[in-house]
Amino acid sequence: MSYRDRLQHRLDETGRPLRVGLVGAGQMGRGFAAQLLRMPGITLSAVLDVQHDRAVEALTQAGITPTDAPDAESAVAAIEGGGSIALTSVDRLAGLPLDVVVEATGVPEVAVSVAVQALAAGISVATLTVEADVTVGRYLAQLADESDAVYSVCRGDEPVETKILVDYARDLNFEVICAGKGKNNPLDPYATPESLTERAAQKQMNPKMLTSFVDGSKAMIEMASLANTTGLGVSKRGMHGPPSSVATLHETFALTKDGGIIEQAGVVDYCTGDVAPGVFVIIRTDDPYVHHEMTYLQMGDGPYFALYRPYHLASIEAPLTVYEIVLDKRPSLTSEHWTAEVGAQSKRALKAGERIDGIGGMMVRGLIDAADDFARDGLVPLGVLAGATLKRDVPVDHTLTYDDVELDESALIVRMRRIQEAMGKDGSSAPTLADLVAQIAG
């Protein structure tokens, strides 16, 4: 039975639609809201954004007139009565009678705060902020296990859609050589919001968001998320990122001994070219008859073959995660493994005392690395660097370490990252969800 039919069946049985809250009413959030409400049995009960007008607009463009809710009691009453509210304070989230919260702010610090508050209240969380997941996703997955709720990265972004292809390949017992994505924008590791202002205006994008794509940070983040959910490794620090095409993917990402660029099987990488906006998995089979069948089915000449999905639909597909959480009680993607990290390289020479402006800014770009190598070299995660202060001068293209920066230890994401780094492989020694909430409140 389709999710559409199952949602209608749920509505018929319970007499109450699925209540969804949205945090972040930017481009991604509005796209999510528009698509979500095309399904039966679902309502957008609350939209929270720092700009009240944007929260209201997200509801009105979806055909919903917000109910006025000046206090917590009236907000609860409005939702329970079938209404929808627009709020500016995330602090009110935990008290709302919601089934799922979708986090779409793109700000890692806000994303983890939303996740912790919701999980502590027994509300499931679907996030579009992959940056937070590659920073503290292992700890968030453990916190979700402790609650009666589900935590997941959303469908529609490359990590989840590629994971589906990886799972498909493994279910058919193919050897996975490489999994990855096509990169839309030509790589410019020194791109800044200032240099991309005009292009961002043409695309109607936030310049920092566009910068995170152009400078490679997003590709690093997305492929680290893919690695951490599948257990795949990293091809090399920073990945290769070669040019390729749909027709030549299986050649480009073959093992080096067979003329490709991959040194060892079972890794993530990306490419430029007409592969974007698609995702791919390169598989290999040594079985003569399977090889013959794949060739007969026009999958190529083998022994390497490409499984390719030519699109990912970002916020338009994100509602699928809400359905999976509610109807199947499972996440679309969590960090079941921890094989990759995303650090930071300087885009210019940085001076002691400067405060780092974070992902998509003027100062640093993301750099993927194998988790073991990352820890060995004392590298600092990109996701905790917003607001950090340089303790010493560093040259351009320098990979930042903990010794280079003084982090904002009051930031929740920094505190959670410290906890994650101290956790045992079984999650031992980490504060429970209740303890973490108490620490935050204290």
Side-chain angles (χ1 to χ4, degrees), residues 189-419:
Y190 306 105
T192 65
E194 185 178 68
S195 69
L196 296 175
T197 299
E198 185 176 340
R199 197 192 309 180
Q202 293 171 351
K203 292 177 174 284
Q204 297 184 322
M205 288 182 69
N206 181 301
K208 288 193 71 172
M209 176 65 75
L210 180 59
T211 300
S212 71
F213 285 103
V214 175
D215 72 8
S217 296
K218 273 287 190 178
M220 305 292 163
I221 290 163
E222 290 160 351
M223 292 301 94
S225 176
L226 174 61
N228 289 337
T229 191
T230 59
L232 295 171
V234 179
S235 57
K236 71 169 188 174
R237 180 174 286 180
M239 300 184 287
H240 293 89
S244 190
S245 66
V246 174
T248 60
L249 275 171
H250 64 292
E251 298 171 353
T252 303
F253 292 101
L255 294 175
T256 51
K257 67 184 183 67
D258 295 321
I261 65 165
I262 300 300
E263 291 83 2
Q264 60 179 359
V267 296
V268 298
D269 213 311
Y270 75 98
C271 66
T272 57
D274 69 1
V275 176
V279 297
F280 65 87
V281 174
I282 306 304
I283 58 174
R284 181 175 66 176
T285 178
D286 293 324
D287 183 280
Y289 198 79
V290 174
H291 185 167
H292 164 74
E293 285 288 283
M294 292 288 281
T295 302
Y296 171 76
L297 294 168
Q298 301 182 39
M299 290 298 291
D301 298 328
Y304 295 91
F305 302 94
L307 304 178
Y308 173 64
R309 188 186 198 243
Y311 58 88
H312 70 283
L313 302 183
S315 58
I316 300 302
E317 288 183 277
L320 291 170
T321 294
V322 174
Y323 315 152
E324 290 176 358
I325 286 174
V326 173
L327 299 176
D328 298 332
K329 309 298 182 186
R330 64 179 176 87
S332 302
L333 181 155
T334 56
S335 297
E336 300 174 43
H337 312 270
W338 202 263
T339 57
E341 296 274 14
V342 180
Q345 279 192 319
S346 53
K347 293 182 180 180
R348 60 170 173 81
L350 303 176
K351 297 292 185 182
E354 288 193 88
R355 290 173 65 86
I356 297 175
D357 53 1
I359 299 168
M362 304 282 291
M363 302 169 73
V364 296
R365 60 177 178 271
L367 185 75
I368 193 173
D369 200 2
D372 289 345
D373 294 345
F374 191 90
R376 177 200 65 206
D377 294 343
L379 303 184
V380 60
L382 176 66
V384 300
L385 283 175
T389 303
L390 269 295
K391 295 198 296 188
R392 57 192 180 194
D393 296 352
V394 299
V396 65
D397 297 329
H398 174 76
T399 305
L400 293 174
T401 69
Y402 276 109
D403 291 337
D404 294 322
V405 295
E406 181 177 337
L407 301 180
D408 177 4
E409 299 291 344
S410 67
L412 178 59
I413 196 167
V414 174
R415 293 158 64 183
M416 291 178 65
R417 177 64 192 205
R418 297 289 195 194
I419 292 168

